Amino acid sequence: VEDAISLPKDNSAWALVDFKDPDLDNVILVDPAKTESMHNCATGIIGMSLDTKKNRVFVRDVQELHVRPNDCFQAVLDMAVHLKAHVIGFEDSGLQEYIRQPFTDYMHARGLNFEVVWLQSRAPKGEDYFSSGFEKVKDARIAATASYVRMGQVYFNPNCCAPLCDQLVEFPYGKKKDLADAFSYFIQLMERGNRFFSEEFEEQLLKEDTARIRDEYKSLEDEDESEDLMMYEEGWEWSEKETEALFGY
């Protein structure tokens, strides 16, 4: 059984990021529902910016909709235009040409021509999709995002991401997983486009963390030595063991 995906407490990078940065790769993820019924799964649409140089993912917009295909297409393209997306990742398992052709035609009819990557609902490695079961496959995808979230590499727009965050925190026991499932496709999209995080950046972070920890320990050692010296100057009566441990004699 998978554990809930705990969200990092530090979301401070969200307020500092410049979304006009050319190094950001803006993408839209779409996990379409097979029906518009309110009683069935919803269509999940996620707008994100990927920063593969600084190893960060920014979730900028989320929508959870029960709509007809044309309304879904419109919402996807509106978000793509608004976020100046470079690519749209569209899950099409079970629909294929019955979603690819209508969406492409709708996009072209609006005078738009985004790169579209068709994503697949995959079973866990080594297992057959149908024998694995739909929920098991979905849970496996969502669980794969945990490492990114727990390491603090994913930042959420505080103005709109509450529904997605709730689904991640309640995973795997929550009633809704549509947004969490749509969110999980960023991993497949990155892999399909060879969008990998920077090893050099992680090495630099490790060096900075090591230096910071070393400085903190040095500061604590200096404080301890200062306190010991003060106690000595004030005539503190040391035991034989304390004197030997402190002064070496």
Side-chain angles (χ1 to χ4, degrees), residues 97-226:
E97 66 268 21
Y98 297 103
I99 195 74
R100 295 184 183 189
Q101 186 70 28
F103 177 73
T104 304
D105 287 342
Y106 188 94
M107 176 174 64
H108 290 167
R110 284 190 54 175
L112 300 171
N113 191 27
F114 291 101
E115 177 188 355
V116 182
V117 176
W118 301 103
L119 306 172
Q120 301 300 309
S121 177
R122 298 172 179 169
K125 187 176 181 179
E127 298 185 32
D128 177 74
Y129 178 89
F130 295 102
S131 63
S132 296
F134 178 74
E135 283 302 314
K136 185 176 181 180
V137 173
K138 179 185 292 189
D139 286 354
R141 283 195 301 270
I142 298 172
T145 68
S147 61
Y148 292 91
V149 177
R150 290 171 180 159
M151 289 176 64
Q153 295 174 320
V154 181
Y155 299 88
F156 298 92
N157 184 344
N159 297 317
C160 67
C161 284
L164 169 59
C165 292
D166 288 344
Q167 291 184 21
L168 293 174
V169 170
E170 294 170 2
F171 175 80
Y173 302 110
K175 293 182 178 180
K176 289 186 174 184
K177 300 177 183 178
D178 303 313
L179 289 175
D181 193 24
F183 166 68
S184 73
Y185 279 102
F186 85 88
I187 296 176
Q188 188 179 151
L189 182 69
M190 289 179 68
E191 188 270 337
R192 291 276 299 277
N194 291 319
R195 298 170 171 89
F196 297 104
F197 278 175
S198 167
E199 181 181 353
E200 291 79 6
F201 181 74
E202 291 299 326
E203 291 176 350
Q204 180 60 33
L205 284 183
L206 180 60
K207 290 180 182 178
E208 292 175 359
D209 286 343
T210 302
R212 176 180 54 80
I213 293 171
R214 187 185 298 115
D215 291 343
E216 289 177 356
Y217 272 110
K218 183 65 169 60
S219 177
L220 291 173
E221 290 175 355
D222 291 343
E223 289 178 6
D224 289 342
E225 291 178 3
S226 177

Side-chain angles (χ1 to χ4, degrees), residues 58-72:
F58 296 94
V59 184
R60 300 176 60 183
D61 198 3
V62 303
Q63 291 188 34
E64 189 175 26
L65 306 172
H66 292 273
V67 294
R68 295 181 176 86
N70 276 15
D71 295 325
C72 168

Side-chain angles (χ1 to χ4, degrees), residues 25-30 45-48 60 72-90 100-101 103-118 189 195:
D25 193 5
N26 301 325
V27 305
I28 307 297
L29 299 171
V30 191
I45 307 173
I46 309 286
M48 310 173 73
R60 300 176 60 183
C72 168
F73 299 162
Q74 180 176 336
V76 170
L77 294 174
D78 286 348
M79 186 184 293
V81 170
H82 177 66
L83 299 184
K84 296 180 173 59
H86 306 125
V87 61
I88 296 173
F90 212 120
R100 295 184 183 189
Q101 186 70 28
F103 177 73
T104 304
D105 287 342
Y106 188 94
M107 176 174 64
H108 290 167
R110 284 190 54 175
L112 300 171
N113 191 27
F114 291 101
E115 177 188 355
V116 182
V117 176
W118 301 103
L189 182 69
R195 298 170 171 89

